């Protein structure tokens, strides 16, 4: 247990909340050279599976701090799923995937493992102080930062001053309450009981859904396999059911047994965790309030359907970490953090829009919706063309349309590829270390991808990379060649994926942000590097140029 003397009086960043978003943000900040203190009210990692589906983008973000390997080794990857109506299969979907990709589209793993791996990454990097059983009680904004009071397990209250406070303390955020802020949006009435059970199975790993199944008529049931022979089962309870009664084992276990019997899972099983959930579409209108920033469930609550909750929180962390590091280290003005709020609020509103549609299908809010859903499901049993309409629309990275960091491009210069504001596409490459992936080169600093088969990079571009900045503020210039041999500054696109996905021609240059998003792209960049210099200046000055 921490003693009063061991608790710092001042730290660069305090993170309220040591869940998956808070611990991942801590690891990312440490990766960028920023020390932080994490205050978590619970005594250790969470109980129960909670958020379990980790999207490809989230796996990339965790990979920036080296947490991807244990994640992939432990987790169960999947590419699609099946939906049933009254026992008849009405949908079999598959997400885009190919053998050469770095990560599967989705990976199932319990949330407590994600917390464990993010914490281990933070400890490995260094500069992160995690305090368990440390509950934030009071937040006082100051001109030069924030004073934070927190109570430890011994009942003693401690105070710390921080330059920046990041609230990652969940849907019932104390920090949000202290600032008098309220989430805006709507909450659905439909409730789902969430159950983890341990049972051996040989069934394939895929997302499974049943609408009005014979095992539980009138309900909707979701199932996901997890590591350690764990099934995650979510089932809808009727509106008239008491939520307190709904989670009692004597009411839960018979429903689970009935469904296992229906699908032929006959191995012995035991319950591990039971909870209840209802969908919320809520967000703060801004994620920056002076020196206080919000991320994850403290900033927004989105429905579980389409697995956008934790994945959007990890994207918050990936977006915020490099910007906060630049500001904290004096490379950028505070205004850069406004782009974090703008981009991630935009992402949340899009996630909420998709999540609301999925929620209204999974748990119809009134009789009219229920009738339309049943009509669509019945039609899907006989008309395959209708089936895409019931696709659950899994989480996907959001375009930061209108971001102040997006650089304009000349009309007609590109006819395809990823424009500014989109995630940089993946591609298989040959690197100096052997076969690799383009996304593995992101996450540390700015990257300039220069597409050229000429062995010598023009001096005008070499000067850009040699600006003298270090850490997250550095610019790495990387030549992407279609042929030849890889070296420290050259990767080879032997399969042609990068040149095709970036709509590249000789001399094309893409500027990639530290979070793997395209910031700008130019043809014949060596002849006129001024726009690239201006693009970087708009970050390092904190102002649009």
């Amino acid at each position: 247990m921490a003693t009063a003397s061991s608790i710092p009086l001042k730290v660069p960043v305090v993170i309220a909340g040591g869940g998956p978003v808070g611990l991942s943000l801590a690891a990312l900040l440490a990766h960028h050279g920023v020390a932080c203190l994490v205050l978590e009210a619970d005594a250790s990692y969470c109980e129960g599976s909670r958020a379990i589906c980790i999207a490809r983008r989230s796996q990339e973000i965790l990979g920036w701090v080296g947490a991807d390997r244990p994640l992939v080794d432990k987790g169960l990857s999947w590419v699609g799923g099946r939906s049933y109506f009254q026992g008849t299969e009405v949908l079999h979907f598959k997400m885009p995937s190919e053998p050469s990709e770095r990560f599967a589209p989705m990976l199932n793993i319990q949330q407590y493992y994600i917390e464990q791996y993010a914490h281990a990454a933070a400890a490995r990097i260094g500069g992160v102080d995690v305090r368990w059983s440390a509950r934030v009680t009071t937040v006082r904004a100051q001109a030069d930062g924030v004073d934070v009071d927190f109570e430890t397990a011994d009942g003693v209250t401690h105070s710390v001053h921080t330059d920046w406070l990041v609230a990652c303390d969940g849907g019932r955020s104390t920090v949000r309450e202290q600032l008098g802020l309220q989430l805006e949006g709507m909450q659905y009435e439909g409730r789902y009981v969430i159950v983890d059970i341990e049972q051996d199975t040989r069934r394939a790993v895929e997302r499974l859904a049943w609408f009005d199944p014979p095992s539980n008529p009138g309900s909707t049931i979701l199932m996901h396999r997890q590591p350690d022979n764990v099934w995650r089962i979510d089932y809808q309870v009727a509106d008239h059911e008491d939520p307190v009664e709904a989670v009692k084992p004597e009411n839960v276990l018979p429903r689970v047994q009935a469904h296992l019997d229906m699908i032929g899972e006959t191995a012995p099983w035991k319950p591990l965790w039971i909870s209840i959930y209802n969908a919320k579409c809520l967000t703060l209108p801004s994620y920056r309030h002076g020196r206080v920033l919000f991320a994850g469930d403290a900033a927004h609550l989105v429905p579980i359907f389409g697995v956008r909750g934790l994945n959007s929180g990890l994207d918050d962390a990936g977006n915020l970490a490099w910007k906060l590091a630049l500001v904290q280290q004096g490379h950028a003005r505070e205004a850069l953090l406004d782009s974090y709020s703008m981009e991630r609020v935009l992402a949340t509103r899009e996630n909420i829009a998709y999540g609301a549609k999925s929620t209204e299908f999974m748990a119809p809010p009134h009789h009219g919706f229920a009738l339309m859903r049943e009509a669509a499901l019945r039609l899907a049993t006989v008309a395959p063309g209708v089936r895409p309409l019931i696709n659950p629309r899994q989480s996907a990275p959001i375009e930061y349309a209108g971001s102040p960091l997006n650089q304009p491009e000349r009309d007609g210069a590109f006819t395809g590829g990823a424009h500014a504001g989109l995630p940089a596409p993946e591609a298989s490459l040959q690197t100096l270390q052997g076969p690799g992936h383009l996304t593995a080169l992101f996450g540390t600093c700015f990257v300039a991808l220069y597409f050229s088969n000429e062995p010598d990079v023009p001096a005008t571009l070499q000067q850009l990379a040699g600006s003298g900045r270090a850490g997250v503020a550095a610019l790495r210039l990387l030549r992407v060649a279609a042929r030849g041999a890889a070296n420290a500054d050259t990767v080879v696109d032997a399969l042609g994926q990068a040149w095709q996905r970036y709509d590249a021609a000789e001399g094309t240059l893409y500027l990639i942000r530290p979070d793997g998003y395209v910031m700008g792209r130019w043809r014949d960049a060596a002849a006129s590097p001024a726009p690239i210099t201006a693009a970087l200046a708009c970050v390092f000055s904190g102002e649009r140029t």
Side-chain angles (χ1 to χ4, degrees):
M1 181 179 296
T3 63
S5 60
S6 67
I7 293 174
L9 298 177
K10 185 179 187 302
V11 292
V13 176
V14 167
I15 298 174
V21 176
L23 290 171
S24 296
L25 176 62
L28 289 163
L29 286 170
H31 177 62
H32 293 315
V34 176
C36 59
L37 171 66
V38 179
L39 303 174
E40 169 52 48
D42 290 342
S44 186
Y45 309 126
C46 73
E47 296 181 356
S49 60
R50 299 180 185 264
I52 63 167
C53 299
I54 307 304
R56 180 184 286 125
R57 166 74 179 168
S58 296
Q59 295 172 64
E60 292 174 6
I61 292 170
L62 292 167
W64 298 342
V65 294
D68 56 325
R69 193 69 268 154
L71 188 82
V72 172
D73 288 345
K74 183 69 176 179
L76 303 178
S77 61
W78 55 281
V79 298
R82 301 174 190 271
S83 296
Y84 301 86
F85 175 57
Q86 296 181 346
T88 300
E89 183 176 308
V90 293
L91 175 69
H92 182 201
F93 73 91
K94 288 191 175 182
M95 293 173 283
S97 182
E98 57 189 36
S100 61
E101 285 178 329
R102 182 180 172 205
F103 296 116
M106 286 285 174
L107 179 139
N108 283 357
I109 190 168
Q110 294 91 322
Q111 181 175 307
Y112 46 78
Y113 283 122
I114 302 168
E115 295 176 0
Q116 177 183 328
Y117 301 151
H119 187 194
R124 186 167 56 250
I125 297 167
V128 176
D129 184 358
V130 178
R131 302 295 176 115
W132 304 104
S133 301
R135 183 182 301 276
V136 172
T137 57
T138 308
V139 174
R140 300 181 299 279
Q142 306 292 344
D144 62 342
V146 186
D147 291 334
V148 180
D149 293 347
F150 61 97
E151 184 179 295
T152 49
D154 54 8
V156 177
T157 296
H158 307 275
S159 296
V160 61
H161 180 81
T162 182
D163 296 328
W164 299 93
L165 170 63
V166 185
C168 300
D169 52 342
R172 298 173 180 170
S173 169
T174 298
V175 177
R176 194 176 63 229
E177 179 182 299
Q178 283 285 301
L179 268 62
L181 303 174
Q182 291 188 341
L183 297 170
E184 300 176 356
M186 66 176 295
Q187 177 171 303
Y188 289 90
E189 293 300 322
R191 293 184 176 89
Y192 272 75
V193 169
I194 302 173
V195 190
D196 286 350
I197 69 168
E198 183 178 342
Q199 183 188 47
D200 189 20
T201 180
R202 297 182 181 275
R203 194 176 291 262
V205 182
E206 53 187 357
R207 178 256 196 202
L208 299 170
W210 287 265
F211 299 95
D212 193 19
S215 62
N216 285 266
S219 181
T220 301
I221 299 179
L222 300 173
M223 289 185 73
H224 280 278
R225 276 189 60 193
Q226 299 179 79
D228 306 326
N229 289 328
V230 173
W231 276 114
R232 160 72 172 268
I233 304 173
D234 301 18
Y235 66 82
Q236 186 183 14
V237 296
D239 293 341
H240 66 268
E241 292 187 65
D242 183 340
V244 175
E245 293 294 319
V247 295
K248 289 183 176 179
E250 60 265 30
N251 295 321
V252 173
L253 303 190
R255 293 195 185 190
V256 172
Q257 184 64 65
H259 188 69
L260 293 174
D261 290 343
M262 187 194 83
I263 65 175
E265 293 291 343
T266 59
W269 63 278
K270 64 178 181 180
L272 301 175
W273 177 69
I274 301 173
S275 185
I276 196 165
Y277 164 87
N278 68 316
K280 302 175 180 66
C281 293
L282 302 171
T283 182
L284 288 173
S286 174
Y287 299 164
R288 183 189 173 200
H289 294 264
R291 293 291 187 102
V292 182
L293 300 141
F294 290 84
D297 285 356
H300 47 74
L301 293 169
V302 299
I304 59 172
F305 310 114
V307 297
R308 294 176 175 85
L310 175 54
N311 289 301
S312 64
L314 291 174
D315 240 331
D316 291 345
N319 186 300
L320 177 58
W322 68 274
K323 296 175 180 177
L324 185 54
L326 287 176
V327 171
Q328 177 63 27
Q329 294 166 351
H331 296 296
R333 297 180 185 177
E334 292 183 17
L336 178 62
L337 295 171
D338 293 332
S339 72
Y340 161 71
S341 178
M342 179 269 173
E343 291 174 353
R344 294 309 301 160
V345 169
L346 173 73
T348 294
R349 296 198 186 282
E350 186 166 331
N351 279 324
I352 283 175
Y354 281 117
K357 292 178 182 178
S358 296
T359 299
E360 289 165 357
F361 193 86
M362 299 300 295
H366 56 71
H367 184 60
F369 269 94
L371 288 176
M372 288 190 291
R373 184 185 79 169
E374 182 171 346
L377 289 167
R378 287 188 182 280
L379 189 57
T381 62
V382 295
V386 176
R387 294 174 182 175
L389 298 177
I390 60 177
N391 192 308
R393 300 185 189 91
Q394 304 298 331
S395 173
I398 303 298
E399 176 184 353
Y400 296 148
S403 169
L405 301 185
N406 293 347
Q407 300 302 299
E409 62 185 55
R410 184 165 53 86
D411 291 343
F414 292 85
T415 58
H419 56 254
L422 285 173
E426 180 64 286
S428 296
L429 302 168
Q430 288 295 322
T431 73
L432 183 61
Q433 291 74 34
H437 295 87
L438 190 52
T439 59
L441 305 174
F442 306 146
T444 297
C445 61
F446 292 85
V447 176
L449 299 176
Y450 179 60
F451 291 84
S452 176
N453 288 311
E454 297 297 328
D456 297 321
V457 175
T460 52
L461 297 181
Q462 292 181 12
Q463 291 172 1
L464 288 175
S467 61
R469 292 189 178 98
V472 69
L475 172 66
R476 180 184 181 188
L477 178 62
L478 194 65
R479 183 172 72 97
V480 183
R483 55 185 178 272
N487 57 45
D489 301 310
T490 298
V491 294
V492 180
D493 182 27
L495 300 178
Q497 292 179 345
W499 280 65
Q500 187 271 326
R501 293 171 183 175
Y502 286 77
D503 188 23
E506 181 68 35
T508 296
L509 186 140
Y510 273 71
L511 180 60
I512 311 299
R513 302 173 1 169
D515 59 2
Y517 267 77
V518 176
M519 188 169 168
R521 56 181 182 172
W522 299 268
R523 299 292 194 195
D524 198 17
S528 180
I532 306 167
T533 303
L536 292 168
C538 93
V539 173
F540 296 130
S541 70
E543 299 175 339
R544 182 75 183 261
T545 58

